[in-house]
Amino acid sequence: MLNTWSNDVMKQCTIANPQTCYELDKTGIWGEAVRQRKPIILNDFQAAHPLKKGYPEGHVSLTKFLTVPIFKDDQIIAVVGVANKVSNYDEMDVLQLTLLMNAVWKFVENQRAEESLQRSERALLEAQRLANIGSWTYDPVSQQRHWSEGMFFIWGLDSKKGEPNYIEHRKHIHPDDCQPFDAAIREAVEAGKPYDLELRIIRPDGSQRTIITICEPQRDAAGKVVRLRGTVQDITDRKKAEKLREDNHALAVAKNSAEELNRMKDQLLHNTSHELRTPLNGIMGFAEFISNSKEATEKIRGYALAIHNSGKVLLNLIKNILTLARIESGSDKVIKSQINLNVILHDVGALLTTEIKNNLIDFEIDYPEKLPQEFLADGDKIQQIVTNLAGNAVKFAHNGQVRIRVNCGEALDGSIECLIQVSDTGIGIPAEKLHLLFQRFSQVDDSLTRKCGGNGLGLSISQSLAKLMGGEITVVSEFEKGATFTLRVPLTPASKQQKKSVKKPNHSTQRLHDVKVLLVEDDLTGGALVTLILQEMGCEVAFAENGKIALDMLEASNYDIILMDCQMPVMNGFDATKAIRGKEEQTKKHVMVIAMTADAFKEDENKCLQAGMDDYISKPIYIAELENKIMQWVKIAR
């Protein structure tokens, strides 16, 4: 920014601290010339005028005023003003002032161009110096040598002392490089052979540099070598850069190897989860089916229920171990989707129904109606954390109370800070044992006579998941009076466009005699289980062992719902679903496809939905959940 005033003006100006920069909307006539992009003339400045905004105390008194914007390439580059002419200002004044300022601006631009050129020249000289290049010549007959200033700089020698002779020169070459240097010089002089060598040199201060020296012999008319000339370049920094690139490449290779190892670990976790959940699906599913069967005796139903509950414990252990492995490998990520926090908390209560009943627990969820329920968050992780906390509370509060309370407050970044408290009236935790709570495989009571089991993973994993989401778990406890665990986690409120009605579980026993279901499943045990459950609901069930058979059956018959496994031989569930959706583009008839898979991570659910499936159920299958899904989608389909 350039600000100038004439000498006459400055003699009359008594402003204490003249302001040189104004916001455009706070200026008067000056700013109006910019806004209107044209000169403005006021030949009676003291008269009232809507554009004037006055001037500070001490300013020269104005009687007449002319301000002119100066343009270059249709852009305003300056605004000039003159005042207090004896006669009135007119267009001739505008023209003269414009021509004057154009000349001034031309001068300013020329000065700037000259300064820019000088800077470029200095930069070029500096670049040549930084390139560390020197030149030399040598006369083998007279033994005369000539070095450029750059040569002295590279070798660290004083140019005032003159060029060193061959012996002195050779002393500064690394001992291991002297022999190849001698041989190159000899062949250049005797045979006229050029050379290009990489040498290490030692400066007088003891520092070592790496150079490239190039020589071109020159011959006379008879072919005799009469002069050697060449260049030397200091490549020490380049060598360091090359070493750094090599090191970075090695690090990149190591990083890629580590990432590939993590990918393989992640795949192993997926496969392990799938292979463990598949047989558990049969064990827990048939146990639940028998425990609900009217045909079984009460004693048999009790046995089956015990098997099912043991399966739930094993399933929770498997889930914790796999989560721990994913946390350790760095593959566990926060995957946000729309959730209803109230529904998630009630789902936790439903999962713990049997334990609550067996331990005679007074269980309550307190979710105030005034609080928001819809959020964008990782619902699976929240549910896993609260399930671990509430499960522990139920375990240790036999014949007592367990409360889940929710409170929300707005954080500074616009997110919602959600507090989920799980309190119990159980045995509590001694103060000296609190530090053990979030350590892996640690338990408050690790004696052989402890009343409650556990592997010491739940709280550690829960804390890791909370921190992964940007939150934490804290605890307050009084021994023999209970404990309160508080999950603090930031949640993103769902926008009005994102909010949608949440379908609450429907435990209706309505039978569906006219619903045709195609079950696509390669596990015969799991297939038999789901077939029994669907038949109990009154559904008509057809069975296909893989996706290809399912496509053939769809050509021959229509189905209301397809329960689709994902990992199957011949054709998997993803490819089968894509083929189904492709054909629907022609038929314009949509069939509901529900993924039913032992791939139970959140990304697996997203993969199913992205493949075109309408919904997702993870194995092991819970009868009530399957019934609710069927009921829900049958109503939508019809």
Side-chain angles (χ1 to χ4, degrees):
M1 176 178 292
L2 178 64
N3 298 285
T4 62
W5 295 268
S6 69
N7 291 331
D8 290 339
V9 168
M10 295 308 297
K11 289 178 181 178
Q12 300 178 51
C13 179
T14 60
I15 300 175
N17 295 301
Q19 186 173 344
T20 59
C21 185
Y22 292 86
E23 296 180 14
L24 186 59
D25 59 354
K26 294 182 179 180
T27 60
I29 304 300
W30 287 86
E32 197 62 30
V34 174
R35 283 188 286 269
Q36 296 187 23
R37 297 173 63 84
K38 66 179 183 179
I40 295 179
I41 298 174
L42 291 182
N43 283 318
D44 185 2
F45 192 86
Q46 296 302 319
H49 196 284
L51 299 181
K52 292 195 309 180
K53 292 194 176 179
Y55 43 74
E57 183 179 353
H59 193 281
V60 177
S61 177
L62 301 181
T63 58
K64 298 181 178 65
F65 185 68
L66 166 62
T67 178
V68 179
I70 307 302
F71 290 84
K72 181 180 179 182
D73 299 331
D74 202 38
Q75 287 190 341
I76 296 176
I77 56 175
V79 182
V80 62
V82 292
N84 296 351
K85 181 183 175 185
V86 175
S87 59
N88 287 340
Y89 289 108
D90 55 24
E91 293 301 321
M92 182 57 68
D93 294 308
V94 172
L95 177 59
Q96 290 178 350
L97 192 56
T98 301
L99 292 175
L100 172 63
M101 286 307 300
N102 283 337
V104 170
W105 190 257
K106 184 74 173 179
F107 175 78
V108 170
E109 286 188 322
N110 289 341
Q111 286 293 104
R112 289 177 176 175
E114 180 66 23
E115 292 173 358
S116 177
L117 179 60
Q118 292 176 1
R119 286 195 299 270
S120 297
E121 290 176 347
R122 289 194 297 269
L124 179 59
L125 291 175
E126 181 67 10
Q128 291 175 344
R129 187 188 70 80
L130 293 176
N132 283 331
I133 297 176
S135 59
W136 58 271
T137 60
Y138 169 64
D139 186 333
V141 177
S142 66
Q143 298 292 308
Q144 289 185 345
R145 306 168 188 277
H146 175 73
W147 280 18
S148 69
E149 192 66 31
M151 283 287 290
F152 288 98
F153 178 79
I154 292 172
W155 290 80
L157 299 176
D158 186 356
S159 60
K160 295 178 181 180
K161 296 181 180 180
E163 290 83 351
N165 60 34
Y166 184 81
I167 299 300
E168 290 296 323
H169 181 197
R170 191 176 183 276
K171 287 181 180 179
H172 294 288
I173 297 175
H174 193 283
D176 294 341
D177 294 342
C178 284
Q179 184 176 353
F181 177 70
D182 292 340
I185 290 289
R186 186 170 54 254
E187 290 181 348
V189 173
E190 296 176 356
K193 183 178 179 180
Y195 65 77
D196 184 342
L197 291 178
E198 182 177 310
L199 302 175
R200 289 163 292 174
I201 65 172
I202 301 173
R203 288 176 167 177
D205 63 4
S207 62
Q208 180 175 300
R209 310 292 292 180
T210 303
I211 65 170
I212 289 180
T213 177
I214 299 174
C215 173
E216 286 289 342
Q218 291 182 304
R219 302 173 186 266
D220 59 13
K224 181 181 178 180
V225 176
V226 294
R227 188 170 66 162
L228 303 182
R229 66 178 181 180
T231 60
V232 169
Q233 182 176 17
D234 187 337
I235 61 168
T236 305
D237 293 339
R238 185 201 305 175
K239 296 289 288 186
K240 291 180 179 178
E242 290 174 354
K243 180 65 167 57
L244 181 61
R245 282 195 295 271
E246 291 173 359
D247 292 343
N248 287 341
H249 177 70
L251 287 174
V253 171
K255 178 176 178 290
N256 291 336
S257 298
E259 289 176 348
E260 176 63 16
L261 180 60
N262 281 337
R263 189 197 64 78
M264 294 172 64
K265 286 181 180 178
D266 201 40
Q267 187 61 47
L268 176 62
L269 291 175
H270 272 82
N271 293 340
T272 302
S273 175
H274 184 277
E275 295 306 312
L276 289 173
R277 285 173 175 271
T278 297
L280 264 181
N281 183 52
I283 295 170
M284 294 179 62
F286 274 110
E288 185 183 14
F289 186 82
I290 293 172
S291 68
N292 293 335
S293 174
K294 296 179 180 179
E295 298 177 3
T297 65
E298 183 176 352
K299 187 175 183 179
I300 295 299
R301 288 198 297 270
Y303 291 155
L305 182 60
I307 294 172
H308 186 263
N309 290 338
S310 296
K312 288 169 66 176
V313 174
L314 179 58
L315 178 63
N316 188 59
L317 176 60
I318 291 171
K319 187 173 184 179
N320 281 339
I321 291 175
L322 292 177
T323 299
L324 176 61
R326 284 167 63 86
I327 292 172
E328 291 288 345
S329 68
S331 60
D332 203 12
K333 301 291 188 289
V334 176
I335 302 177
K336 293 184 178 182
S337 61
Q338 184 179 345
I339 66 166
N340 185 296
L341 184 58
N342 192 16
V343 171
I344 285 178
L345 298 183
H346 281 83
D347 286 344
V348 170
L351 288 173
L352 298 174
T353 297
T354 302
E355 290 81 356
I356 291 171
K357 181 179 179 181
N358 291 342
N359 284 343
L360 305 176
I361 298 296
D362 177 11
F363 186 84
E364 180 183 350
I365 296 175
D366 181 10
Y367 201 115
E369 294 183 0
K370 65 179 181 179
L371 296 183
Q373 299 186 19
E374 302 284 342
F375 299 97
L376 291 178
D378 193 325
D380 286 350
K381 288 182 174 57
I382 293 175
Q383 182 168 342
Q384 185 173 354
I385 293 171
V386 179
T387 299
N388 279 333
L389 298 180
N392 284 343
V394 169
K395 183 195 304 183
F396 293 107
H398 184 77
N399 201 25
Q401 295 179 342
V402 174
R403 296 285 184 271
I404 299 178
R405 294 183 176 88
V406 179
N407 196 8
C408 296
E410 186 171 353
L412 294 177
D413 60 358
S415 64
I416 300 295
E417 185 174 74
C418 184
L419 300 178
I420 303 174
Q421 291 185 327
V422 179
S423 58
D424 65 74
T425 59
I427 60 177
I429 305 160
E432 68 274 11
K433 296 283 188 177
L434 286 174
H435 70 281
L436 297 174
L437 287 178
F438 299 108
Q439 296 181 12
R440 290 174 187 169
F441 307 108
S442 296
Q443 294 178 322
V444 172
D445 181 6
D446 57 359
S447 66
L448 297 177
T449 58
R450 67 180 188 267
K451 295 181 180 180
C452 301
N455 50 53
L457 280 177
L459 288 177
S460 172
I461 290 172
S462 296
Q463 184 71 285
S464 296
L465 294 178
K467 291 182 177 179
L468 192 63
M469 294 186 291
E472 65 173 345
I473 300 173
T474 57
V475 59
V476 176
S477 179
E478 187 174 351
F479 186 53
E480 295 185 348
K481 290 189 177 181
T484 298
F485 286 81
T486 301
L487 167 63
R488 180 190 60 79
V489 61
L491 302 178
T492 303
S495 65
K496 293 181 180 180
Q497 291 77 11
Q498 292 166 331
K499 291 182 180 180
K500 57 184 179 181
S501 60
V502 178
K503 293 178 171 59
K504 295 184 178 181
N506 177 9
H507 298 285
S508 169
T509 57
Q510 173 187 358
R511 301 184 67 79
L512 303 173
H513 294 287
D514 55 346
V515 175
K516 296 180 66 176
V517 179
L518 175 58
L519 174 61
V520 190
E521 170 68 77
D522 66 320
D523 178 47
L524 298 182
T525 301
L529 168 66
V530 176
T531 298
L532 281 175
I533 296 173
L534 293 174
Q535 287 176 343
E536 281 291 309
M537 294 176 64
C539 297
E540 180 183 338
V541 185
F543 184 79
E545 293 184 11
N546 58 60
K548 186 176 184 305
I549 296 176
L551 293 179
D552 294 338
M553 294 176 68
L554 283 169
E555 291 290 337
S557 183
N558 294 323
Y559 298 91
D560 298 298
I561 291 178
I562 301 174
L563 294 177
M564 182 75 73
D565 190 16
C566 292
Q567 294 191 32
M568 295 179 292
V570 184
M571 178 181 283
N572 62 50
F574 301 111
D575 292 339
T577 301
K578 290 176 182 177
I580 292 170
R581 298 303 182 224
K583 291 183 179 179
E584 288 177 355
E585 292 181 2
Q586 299 175 350
T587 62
K588 305 301 180 184
K589 182 180 180 181
H590 183 83
V591 60
M592 299 296 176
V593 178
I594 302 175
M596 188 177 63
T597 175
D599 296 328
F601 295 117
K602 184 64 178 180
E603 53 263 39
D604 297 316
E605 178 180 354
N606 291 339
K607 185 178 179 181
C608 292
L609 299 178
Q610 290 169 3
M613 301 180 189
D614 297 287
D615 210 338
Y616 166 93
I617 304 176
S618 65
K619 298 176 182 176
I621 299 297
Y622 290 91
I623 294 175
E625 181 185 15
L626 179 60
E627 289 179 349
N628 288 332
K629 294 287 186 183
I630 298 295
M631 293 286 190
Q632 171 186 329
W633 287 109
V634 165
K635 290 179 180 179
I636 293 176
R638 296 182 175 182

